Amino acid sequence: MADNRVFDGRILVVAFEGWNDAGEAASSTVRALLDQLDVVPLASFDSENYYDFQQVRPIVGFDDEGHRVLTWPTTVLYSPLVPGISAKPLANDASLNVTGENTGNIYLLLGQEPTRNWQTFAAEVIDLALAADITGIVFLGALLAEVPHSRPIPIFISSENQSVRTQFDVERSSYEGPVGILAVLADAAERAGIPTMSIWASVPHYVHHAPSPKATLALIDRLEEIVDVTVPRGSLVDDASDWEASVQSLADDDDEMAAYIESLERSRDTFDSPEASGEALAQEFERFLRDSDDKPAAD
């Protein structure tokens, strides 16, 4: 395994529903970690302070006893049940460079993207991270992009931290334009001395209404090697295959859509060719980010 000097301590993995979460890929990845890790809620954020309920409404439902209850939008920070104590390693995919021994050092932050008071929200998150001795933060995102469903999901990893870029051989983002809460938190973390990394998956924009298990799978594959935690795939591999087959079935019935997807496949194959440079791939991702500002992410 690579020498994880930057991320060898307590790591916080972050995802938000909403603008940063096309195809529910990022939030689904953190939920997969929630299902796997022995974590407990450490802190939750006051809904009244950070959400406009006309934009992000509470949800009414029934509890296990049949009582009608309201669930308010919020964000929750989860802590390992016994911080620093590694769980028994799980059976590992031999193709991945993962031991699975870091489970006792993984913290999770998951919630709905706040709709107001972002600077105060970021300060509260970073205060909690510092109090928990978090030594690195990994942000997960997913955006709608001009990529084909029939090819591997493109993943772009970036960091503003020189040590992270050097160790993992990743790019520094050159994007300029509107951002989501992930960028605000990353800026606050780096200013507080906590190294960060961002991992983004590109989801085909022509299937943005449905969850994308293929994008979730791609994020998990990359995240595992960075945080050294093995995440069982369960039905995710089959779900990803079914998702791809269902999209292909729709394309087969629509000549215009099929022709468009073929053009995306040719473009993707060009970028994935050995001749394509890392700079070209980074530029493509920046274009995706700019374009995504005009395309609503899947809810």
Side-chain angles (χ1 to χ4, degrees):
M1 182 178 179
D3 180 12
N4 284 347
R5 290 188 301 273
V6 178
F7 292 119
D8 63 356
R10 296 183 177 185
I11 305 168
L12 175 62
V13 180
V14 178
F16 287 90
E17 300 171 358
W19 192 87
N20 311 275
D21 193 30
E24 301 176 15
S27 60
S28 294
T29 298
V30 172
R31 288 193 179 91
L33 288 170
L34 273 173
D35 290 341
Q36 171 57 34
L37 302 177
D38 290 328
V39 295
V40 293
L42 179 64
S44 60
F45 295 77
D46 190 340
S47 299
E48 291 286 341
N49 289 337
Y50 300 121
Y51 295 94
D52 178 343
F53 299 131
Q54 289 185 325
Q55 295 187 49
V56 184
R57 295 181 181 272
I59 297 173
V60 67
F62 293 92
D63 63 17
D64 293 339
E65 298 178 352
H67 299 136
R68 194 172 177 86
V69 294
L70 280 172
T71 301
W72 296 89
T74 189
T75 297
V76 179
L77 174 66
Y78 297 88
S79 164
L81 191 59
V82 183
I85 303 299
S86 298
K88 180 180 178 181
L90 301 168
N92 187 28
D93 184 338
S95 66
L96 295 175
N97 194 19
V98 183
T99 68
E101 296 179 349
N102 200 37
T103 57
N105 285 321
I106 305 302
Y107 291 68
L108 305 172
L109 186 70
L110 178 65
Q112 182 74 38
E113 182 179 48
T115 54
R116 62 187 184 189
N117 297 334
W118 280 15
Q119 295 180 70
T120 304
F121 179 85
E124 186 173 349
V125 170
I126 298 307
D127 284 346
L128 287 168
L130 292 171
D133 293 327
I134 297 297
T135 59
I137 303 179
V138 179
F139 296 100
L140 303 180
L143 68 158
L144 299 176
E146 294 176 348
V147 296
H149 68 281
S150 53
R151 298 293 188 267
I153 295 293
I155 296 291
F156 183 77
I157 303 177
S158 66
S159 177
E160 287 299 302
N161 188 282
Q162 180 61 56
S163 295
V164 174
R165 294 199 301 272
T166 299
Q167 182 183 336
F168 292 94
D169 191 25
V170 297
E171 304 285 342
R172 182 184 188 188
S173 175
S174 60
Y175 169 72
E176 296 180 277
V179 296
I181 192 63
L182 296 182
V184 175
L185 287 172
D187 179 74
E190 290 289 348
R191 291 176 183 274
I194 304 176
T196 66
M197 172 188 288
S198 297
I199 309 175
W200 284 78
S202 296
V203 177
H205 70 88
Y206 51 88
V207 287
H208 68 272
H209 292 299
S212 178
K214 188 173 181 179
T216 299
L217 194 61
L219 282 173
I220 289 175
D221 285 345
R222 299 307 298 270
L223 179 65
E224 277 190 331
E225 293 194 82
I226 292 167
V227 302
D228 194 18
V229 169
T230 305
V231 183
R233 301 305 191 269
S235 65
L236 195 56
V237 174
D238 290 338
D239 292 343
S241 179
D242 292 344
W243 173 87
E244 186 172 331
S246 67
V247 176
Q248 187 61 50
S249 179
L250 292 173
D252 290 342
D253 293 334
D254 187 328
D255 291 342
E256 185 175 349
M257 182 178 181
Y260 174 65
I261 292 172
E262 287 179 6
S263 70
L264 293 180
E265 290 172 340
R266 289 193 296 271
S267 176
R268 188 73 251 162
D269 291 343
T270 297
F271 276 104
D272 287 342
S273 67
E275 293 78 16
S277 68
E279 181 179 357
L281 294 174
Q283 289 176 350
E284 181 194 25
F285 177 77
E286 305 299 350
R287 179 175 61 82
F288 289 159
L289 271 179
R290 285 189 290 271
D291 291 347
S292 72
D293 187 44
D294 299 323
K295 300 171 185 172
D299 294 325

